[in-house]
Amino acid sequence: MIPYWFAALTMKSVGKAAGEMVEEVKRQFALTDSQGLSILTGSTEIKPDYDRCIAISTKSSLREMVGPGALVICSPLIAGTFFGVQAVFGLLTGSLVSAVQLAISMSNSGGAWDNCKKYIKGCYSEDPELRFMKQPRTEQDRVSAARAREVHDAAVQGDTVGDPFKDTSGPALNIVMKLQAIVSLVFAAYFSACGRGNGLLGNYLFK
């Protein structure tokens, strides 16, 4: 359960950080100068505030990883303290098996979503409905432009899931496996000492 919970938390964090960034970009685009021009319409008075966007990304990355990090570090500590060494064995085994298959699945599916968008935008398909062009060149492309835009929009929406899959949650699961194993190894003697290896509650629950 830990890898799935961790992946869900990181996916949610990416969505929240992206939402904050979108709102900031929209705010900057809405600003106008004395001539009524905005950044998008060629204003020379208003400059993009890159520092504010970087600050949003940096603060979000630090703040949003507190929960997933605490989950990974505290789960073996809680299992070993209250339920003993065998519970830690089970937690590590389940997390390892689940994290491996989940990481492979996320990396592959995220890459597929990303490549799908690039395939459509790159106009690699022979089907005109799968070739998105801002300025269609042939009559066939112009006829299929509306359908191609729908397909492109769907691919972009899919890539909003694919990017955090392959760039955030998938690679981060490697850290989940390593960190849980290291924490368990460091506290191995402590787990053995808690209720003689059965944990603080194990002697009462597993009589």
Side-chain angles (χ1 to χ4, degrees):
M1 185 184 76
I2 300 298
Y4 297 96
W5 192 356
F6 178 89
L9 290 173
T10 53
M11 290 285 291
K12 185 177 180 181
S13 298
V14 170
K16 290 174 63 178
E20 293 178 15
M21 189 70 72
V22 168
E23 291 301 320
E24 174 59 24
V25 171
K26 288 170 64 178
R27 185 192 68 81
Q28 293 190 30
F29 283 171
L31 297 175
T32 55
D33 59 15
S34 58
Q35 298 177 343
L37 298 176
S38 67
I39 295 175
L40 294 177
T41 54
S43 172
T44 57
E45 299 176 17
I46 302 175
K47 301 297 182 183
D49 190 354
Y50 301 113
D51 291 340
R52 189 174 178 86
C53 293
I54 293 172
I56 290 173
S57 178
T58 304
K59 290 178 181 178
S60 296
S61 64
L62 296 174
R63 182 181 67 248
E64 295 296 330
M65 283 308 296
V66 171
L71 172 67
V72 175
I73 294 173
C74 294
S75 55
L77 293 178
I78 293 173
T81 299
F82 292 102
F83 305 107
V85 175
Q86 298 298 325
V88 178
F89 290 166
L91 178 69
L92 290 180
T93 303
S95 292
L96 177 63
V97 174
S98 298
V100 168
Q101 67 87 19
L102 187 60
I104 294 172
S105 174
M106 282 186 155
S107 296
N108 287 333
S109 58
W113 262 314
D114 185 51
N115 290 336
C116 176
K117 182 193 68 175
K118 293 176 180 176
Y119 182 75
I120 294 169
K121 293 184 71 171
C123 303
Y124 296 110
S125 175
E126 296 181 359
D127 186 349
E129 294 187 354
L130 297 179
R131 295 198 300 261
F132 174 72
M133 303 178 188
K134 292 184 178 179
Q135 297 178 343
R137 293 188 291 266
T138 66
E139 182 63 27
Q140 188 181 34
D141 290 332
R142 282 190 286 271
V143 171
S144 304
R147 177 59 180 163
R149 176 171 290 279
E150 292 180 3
V151 172
H152 170 263
D153 291 346
V156 170
Q157 291 180 28
D159 194 41
T160 60
V161 179
D163 274 339
F165 260 40
K166 69 181 180 64
D167 296 329
T168 304
S169 298
L173 287 170
N174 184 39
I175 307 301
V176 172
M177 293 182 280
K178 289 182 178 180
L179 191 56
Q180 279 194 318
I182 290 173
V183 170
S184 300
L185 183 62
V186 169
F187 286 90
Y190 165 73
F191 296 150
S192 297
C194 287
R196 296 181 179 180
N198 293 322
L200 300 179
L201 300 179
N203 291 324
Y204 301 100
L205 297 176
F206 309 124
K207 286 184 177 181

